[in-house]
Amino acid sequence: MEQLLLHLRNLGFTEMESKIMVELATKGQASGYEVAKQLGVSRSNVYAALQRLTQQGYVRCGEGEPARYSVLNPEELATMISGRVQASLAYMESEMPRGGPVSPSFYNVEGDRNVMGALIRQLNMAEQEIVVDMWREEASLLRSELEQAELRGVRLLWAFDGGNAAAASYPVWPSFGKNSQRADGRKFSFVIDRSWCMLGMRYDDGSAQAVVTEHPVLVELLLNHFTQEMVLFELEQDMGAELVERYGERYSKIHSKYVMYDQGDDGEEQAQ
């Protein structure tokens, strides 16, 4: 019930209107007095809402005394709402003022639903290319959108971690300890049409955070990171044994000397 009321409110109905429509759909038909008594609200509020719904065509008012009301069946209701929403969207798209150029900015997105919603909307608008770097858990949630993009002819470049894939061999930069980070997060990044990007983290408890921007600096950084990661991966696939034979322990130290830190006698962390 709560989910149904939530979606009715998302479609523009007030909480009172939503409850009245569900009550009428449940009973088939009822008087305003009966609806008010069942919902435990004032009759004046119910009659005001019924008048609005009747004027809009979502509810029918029968003859007689007292008047009895009924709501359209679900199919009729969906058709009417869909038509009006589509008409409003088309009008908004054509008539909304288009301002001048806007300087690229960064904005935060909080919550799994908001993060995934923003990402899905952008994936559905992709025209040329999608660059993906994420874990398989998150990739599985976007499988349909990624497949649809490929069917539209969008080029898809991807790197997935987790599942049956081997773990990345590149060391992670450790925290200094002053601002400890949650350890259960999985990083992800998307660059779409080389102009829009999202960089974020999704956690095991279902929460998520992300930064979204069209700033060319971050777009370029993410593309460069993706390219370097994939080039190194392919080099290791082609020359793994030769790299180990030639460099030995030196091979792993090439990475670790840049990201590992020791604590000095005073307790402060120092670069090696």
Side-chain angles (χ1 to χ4, degrees), residues 115-154:
V115 169
M116 298 301 287
L119 188 50
I120 287 172
R121 287 193 297 273
Q122 205 67 32
L123 289 174
N124 289 336
M125 293 190 294
E127 297 179 352
Q128 297 177 309
E129 181 183 80
I130 299 173
V131 178
V132 186
D133 189 350
M134 68 189 316
W135 288 69
R136 291 185 181 273
E137 286 87 341
E138 282 66 49
S140 64
L141 300 176
L142 300 168
R143 178 175 179 178
S144 175
E145 286 75 21
L146 293 173
E147 288 179 346
Q148 289 299 316
E150 282 195 298
L151 291 175
R152 297 197 308 271
V154 176

Side-chain angles (χ1 to χ4, degrees), residues 71-145:
V71 68
L72 300 181
N73 65 48
E75 293 77 17
E76 291 178 303
L77 199 59
T79 299
M80 179 177 289
I81 294 172
S82 176
R84 292 179 177 179
V85 169
Q86 291 301 320
S88 295
L89 287 173
Y91 185 85
M92 179 275 296
E93 186 176 0
S94 64
E95 299 300 325
M96 179 68 76
R98 302 177 185 273
V102 178
S103 299
S105 60
F106 297 82
Y107 63 92
N108 296 321
V109 182
E110 298 278 347
D112 188 60
R113 179 178 179 181
N114 293 332
V115 169
M116 298 301 287
L119 188 50
I120 287 172
R121 287 193 297 273
Q122 205 67 32
L123 289 174
N124 289 336
M125 293 190 294
E127 297 179 352
Q128 297 177 309
E129 181 183 80
I130 299 173
V131 178
V132 186
D133 189 350
M134 68 189 316
W135 288 69
R136 291 185 181 273
E137 286 87 341
E138 282 66 49
S140 64
L141 300 176
L142 300 168
R143 178 175 179 178
S144 175
E145 286 75 21

Side-chain angles (χ1 to χ4, degrees), residues 24 29-35 46-47 50 54 59-70:
L24 290 176
Q29 63 177 1
S31 67
Y33 171 78
E34 291 170 335
V35 172
V46 168
Y47 279 114
L50 282 170
T54 302
V59 166
R60 299 188 181 102
C61 179
E63 298 292 337
E65 185 63 34
R68 301 184 68 78
Y69 299 87
S70 61

Side-chain angles (χ1 to χ4, degrees), residues 151-198:
L151 291 175
R152 297 197 308 271
V154 176
R155 181 189 188 209
L156 182 61
L157 302 174
W158 55 267
F160 292 153
D161 287 326
N164 296 324
S169 59
Y170 315 120
V172 176
W173 287 71
S175 170
F176 285 131
K178 298 176 181 178
N179 297 308
S180 58
Q181 301 295 319
R182 293 178 62 178
D184 61 336
R186 295 182 294 273
K187 296 184 290 292
F188 62 87
S189 68
F190 280 78
V191 181
I192 298 179
D193 292 338
R194 303 191 184 182
S195 61
W196 181 96
C197 65
M198 174 183 281

